[in-house]
Amino acid sequence: MKILFATQNLNKIEEVQSILPQDFSVLGLTDFNFEEDIPETQNTIEGNAIQKANFVFDKLGVLCFSEDTGLIVPSLNGEPGVFSARYAGPQRNASDNMTKLLNKLGNDKPRKAYFETVIALRTKDSLKTFTGRCHGQIAFEQSGNGGFGYDPIFIPDGYLASFAALSKTIKNEISHRGQAMKKLISYLS
Ligand code: ITT
């Protein structure tokens, strides 16, 4: 089965392709010569996932799914949350975002955090969402060379290393995206 993943983030495409069973293949927006910016103006992660799937479906008319992900730190009132991509400004720079988060946490605030991913699957007649969460702690400094986004400062529960230092296989098994994808796969199968 071929399925369009409506995202402009190539790291997400790579992760999702490696999570999906071999009988699925992921198409990207470039396969449809789609280069428009996709709006993300809602104030929830779920709202943004739905907005992205609807926007792309309305333009292309093909079954697609999108996802929105946020990192939630309860001791910072849920920041960066829905603003995770542009936390430190419109340049959407991962290193700037991590620096801002580490500075805001300082040495004293509780470091519990979780990632949340909502996948929105849009067909002609329906819209369905699938949520995944991964709990952990924000590290005191960056470590590891893999992953993307906030991975160098997120240590998932049960591990001593950041997502960026753990293998892709482990990240996919336990991550927010991995959990949400399992639900999507079981629905599609
Ligand atoms: P699309 O909206 O085109 O899918 P995006 O990069 O804008 O791509 P999001 O709005 O979902 O995606 O991203 C929110 C932020 O969270 C962004 O800064 C990502 O780098 C980061 N992020 C998403 N998934 C992550 C993961 O698995 N690990 C670490 N950071 C992640």
Side-chain angles (χ1 to χ4, degrees):
M1 178 182 189
K2 287 187 175 173
I3 183 163
L4 170 61
F5 183 11
T7 180
Q8 272 142 350
N9 185 325
L10 298 178
N11 294 299
K12 288 185 181 178
I13 297 207
E14 193 196 317
E15 272 191 18
V16 158
Q17 182 73 72
S18 66
I19 292 168
L20 280 167
Q22 291 203 327
D23 47 335
F24 285 90
S25 81
V26 178
L27 299 174
L29 291 167
T30 49
D31 295 307
F32 292 82
N33 295 320
F34 186 98
E35 286 171 356
E36 271 179 77
D37 274 347
I38 304 173
E40 285 184 57
T41 54
Q42 305 303 300
N43 54 16
T44 61
I45 291 172
E46 182 182 43
N48 277 332
I50 292 171
Q51 183 180 30
K52 291 189 252 190
N54 280 339
F55 184 83
V56 171
F57 183 85
D58 290 344
K59 298 273 173 179
L60 297 176
V62 295
L63 179 146
C64 66
F65 71 95
S66 67
E67 65 114 283
D68 199 59
T69 294
L71 174 63
I72 291 112
V73 182
S75 66
L76 296 178
N77 298 316
E79 287 184 19
V82 78
F83 298 109
S84 292
R86 51 212 140 105
Y87 191 43
Q91 73 278 18
R92 301 167 73 96
N93 179 277
S95 174
D96 295 349
N97 289 339
M98 287 188 284
T99 301
K100 176 169 178 183
L101 184 55
L102 291 179
N103 286 340
K104 281 200 115 177
L105 269 179
N107 289 328
D108 300 329
K109 291 210 170 65
R111 308 188 82 82
K112 268 187 192 301
Y114 63 91
F115 277 112
E116 180 173 296
T117 291
V118 178
I119 291 176
L121 173 69
R122 176 68 208 270
T123 70
K124 188 162 154 288
D125 308 310
S126 72
L127 177 88
K128 241 187 126 14
T129 58
F130 308 89
T131 301
R133 282 189 180 175
C134 181
H135 290 267
Q137 304 273 336
I138 303 298
F140 284 89
E141 57 190 28
Q142 298 183 32
S143 64
N145 298 314
F148 66 98
Y150 294 89
D151 281 344
I153 57 167
F154 184 82
I155 301 176
D157 284 349
Y159 293 84
L160 297 173
S162 76
F163 261 155
L166 291 168
S167 70
K168 289 180 183 185
T169 311
I170 291 178
K171 181 181 177 192
N172 289 340
E173 248 168 49
I174 62 173
S175 79
H176 40 296
R177 183 164 297 105
Q179 301 302 317
M181 282 300 296
K182 272 183 204 146
K183 294 179 187 171
L184 172 71
I185 292 162
S186 113
Y187 179 79
L188 289 172
S189 315

